[in-house]
Amino acid sequence: MNCSSCSCSSPSSSSSSSSYKTLTSCLTWRTSSIVPVQLGFHSAKSKYSSRRLHVACSSSSSSSSDPLLVKAAKGEPVSRPPAWMMRQAGRYMAVHRKLAEKYPSFRERSETTDLIVEISLQPWEAFHPDGVIIFSDILTPLPAFGVPFDIEEVRGPVIQSPIRSEEGLKALHPIELEKLQFVGDSLRILCREVEGHAAVLGFVGAPWTIATYIVEGCTTRTYTTIKNMCHTAPQVLRALLSHLTKAISDYIVFQVESGAHCIQIFDSWGGQLPPDMWDRWSKPYIEEIVSTVRSKCPKTPLVLYINGNGGLLERMKGTGVDVIGLDWTVDLADGRKRLGSGISVQGNVDPAYLFSPLLELTDEIQRVVRCAGPRGHILNLGHGVLVGTPEEAVAHFFEVARSLEFRTPQSHVVEEPKFIV
């Protein structure tokens, strides 16, 4: 179902004016101006102290001091939809490009505490999103459990010794979290820098998605080698996925103990599987991760995102996560109906809208928020920020998000969302 023809469409659509007026009861628009922040370069060592802070997993009931994003992830009432963007720290920002000229190695930038913190805070200082996600990569923990990798200029991630046999499995060992101390230190510093004004987000790759790199040896468009293993060497693939599940679970807990308020699980290539294959080769391992993390960090929200997830929404809900991230190809109102109440959603503005006139971008943000309803929604893109995205469009995205304000009591809305901007 196309949202342009559903009840949450814009007032210029075929919806009747009376229906439109009915929807205006729950959200107001506050006008304000964008205040640009001039980003300068500095020595990260001189600005950020690596003083160790201990932040334990939260096991208590939800707190009124939780960041706005965490409240929305838990389905609690919020004053407006919190917003952040996948890939919000990246090369579309001039300040990032300048830093990358000085430090051209992605791995150096993503594995050096000072640089991680500086890059993670660049969008925070410029746009003040409601979530600050650590600058890292889903492959970052691989060397810590026995899988070295390189990142080549053209090919991207490359694993010189792919694991495709029982012999290859012998290289694996339990994750050595001390080798990822730069992640823990960065999260602790980020928590201190944002001072509770935003949620600090950690993230991991799902076992299936990580396995595609380890088995294929590099990025691929066909996934033929790992898909073939599902039939020709299922015992090897299961052993690999089980090892990854344990390592990723430990890595999530490590991030939460280091201060992360929320964790996003990227099953980026889960959408490359037919639904029945996803049920066998991805879902059980995500369920195990969720169960393990729940037992140790029961109040930490978990978000699951799959690129191309339109055929998997109900299955994704079955993993037990708190939030389902929708890509831009899913009608958000339809996604709400399919997922039902009791679970939050994230998304799902098409990243290409950031290249549109700002008025069109404003309309699309409003439409997405209407479709989502006033409770349990984190405003985001349906995918990461694209290279070349105008920074003024990103600033406008967050300014529009901050201008929204819910006025009436909130509840999960599966039918017609009774609010608009």
Side-chain angles (χ1 to χ4, degrees):
M1 181 175 69
N2 191 318
C3 202
S4 64
S5 62
C6 77
S7 60
C8 60
S9 58
S10 66
S12 59
S13 72
S14 58
S15 300
S16 68
S17 60
S18 60
S19 297
Y20 179 78
K21 291 176 181 176
T22 300
L23 296 176
T24 63
S25 62
C26 295
L27 193 68
T28 60
W29 175 279
R30 290 181 287 103
T31 59
S32 58
S33 60
I34 299 175
V35 179
V37 178
Q38 181 65 43
L39 292 182
F41 288 95
H42 48 73
S43 168
K45 289 184 178 179
S46 64
K47 183 172 182 179
Y48 308 116
S49 167
S50 60
R51 176 172 55 90
R52 294 291 298 275
L53 300 174
H54 177 72
V55 185
C57 294
S58 171
S59 59
S60 60
S61 59
S62 59
S63 168
S64 59
S65 63
D66 280 342
L68 188 69
L69 187 149
V70 173
K71 291 180 180 179
K74 294 178 178 179
E76 298 173 3
V78 291
S79 58
R80 62 171 176 82
W84 71 283
M85 290 182 179
M86 291 180 280
R87 295 184 189 162
Q88 67 186 15
R91 286 185 176 272
Y92 75 97
M93 295 187 72
V95 67
H96 183 104
R97 294 194 298 273
K98 187 172 181 180
L99 189 67
E101 289 176 1
K102 185 177 180 180
Y103 303 98
S105 166
F106 174 81
R107 288 197 63 180
E108 181 180 10
R109 296 196 304 275
S110 63
E111 297 180 16
T112 305
T113 300
D114 297 336
L115 298 177
I116 293 169
V117 172
E118 182 170 358
I119 294 170
S120 301
L121 290 176
Q122 285 173 349
W124 165 248
E125 293 171 354
F127 313 122
H128 296 288
D130 295 298
V132 174
I133 190 166
I134 185 172
F135 182 75
S136 188
D137 192 85
I138 61 172
L139 301 185
T140 294
L142 266 60
F145 54 80
V147 185
F149 73 96
D150 299 311
I151 295 183
E152 298 182 1
E153 187 68 28
V154 177
R155 297 178 64 195
V158 175
I159 293 172
Q160 298 294 345
S161 300
I163 296 177
R164 301 169 182 169
S165 65
E166 292 184 1
E167 184 66 25
L169 292 171
K170 295 178 181 179
L172 300 175
H173 55 74
I175 190 167
E176 297 172 348
L177 294 171
E178 63 272 14
K179 293 183 177 180
L180 297 167
Q181 198 57 55
F182 56 88
V183 173
D185 288 343
S186 298
L187 287 167
R188 280 184 282 270
I189 295 170
L190 289 173
C191 285
R192 189 171 68 249
E193 290 296 317
V194 302
E195 297 180 320
H197 297 296
V200 172
L201 291 87
F203 68 93
V204 298
W208 168 264
T209 288
I210 297 298
T212 64
Y213 292 97
I214 294 176
V215 171
E216 300 283 348
C218 58
T219 56
T220 176
R221 295 185 178 183
T222 60
Y223 305 91
T224 52
T225 302
I226 190 169
K227 286 184 176 181
N228 187 46
M229 278 185 69
C230 294
H231 309 291
T232 60
Q235 73 285 357
V236 174
L237 186 54
R238 288 193 189 98
L240 174 60
L241 290 169
S242 294
H243 189 92
L244 292 174
T245 297
K246 177 64 168 65
I248 292 166
S249 299
D250 291 345
Y251 187 40
I252 290 177
V253 173
F254 171 74
Q255 290 187 51
V256 176
E257 289 179 336
S258 299
H261 297 104
C262 182
I263 300 290
Q264 178 150 316
I265 302 170
F266 286 91
D267 195 9
S268 304
W269 310 129
Q272 297 295 320
L273 288 169
D276 69 309
M277 291 285 283
W278 189 81
D279 282 342
R280 281 183 279 167
W281 294 103
S282 186
K283 183 181 179 182
Y285 303 98
I286 296 174
E287 287 178 324
E288 185 175 341
I289 289 172
V290 172
S291 177
T292 299
V293 175
R294 283 275 184 271
S295 68
K296 298 179 179 181
C297 311
K299 296 301 179 181
T300 300
L302 300 175
V303 183
L304 176 59
Y305 174 83
I306 299 177
N307 189 31
N309 59 18
L312 299 172
L313 295 187
E314 294 84 357
R315 289 170 162 86
M316 292 171 70
K317 181 180 180 180
T319 62
V321 296
D322 303 277
V323 185
I324 302 296
L326 305 178
D327 73 14
W328 77 92
T329 66
V330 177
D331 179 289
L332 208 154
D334 183 52
R336 273 294 202 192
K337 292 178 181 178
R338 289 170 58 187
L339 291 168
S341 60
I343 191 164
S344 297
V345 294
Q346 177 175 275
N348 68 338
V349 175
D350 183 347
Y353 260 98
L354 295 170
F355 292 86
S356 303
L358 297 185
L359 182 60
E360 297 299 324
L361 174 59
T362 298
D363 289 345
E364 176 62 7
I365 294 169
Q366 294 177 5
R367 185 194 67 82
V368 166
V369 173
R370 284 195 303 270
C371 289
R375 189 163 178 167
H377 175 225
I378 300 169
L379 180 61
N380 204 315
L381 303 179
H383 200 269
V385 180
L386 300 173
V387 174
T389 295
E391 290 188 52
E392 58 268 26
V394 176
H396 185 75
F397 180 98
F398 289 114
E399 180 63 21
V400 172
R402 284 190 294 272
S403 73
L404 306 177
E405 185 175 6
F406 297 123
R407 291 191 304 176
T408 62
Q410 302 167 33
S411 62
H412 280 290
V413 180
V414 181
E415 300 302 326
E416 181 178 289
K418 299 192 174 185
F419 76 110
I420 107 166
V421 292

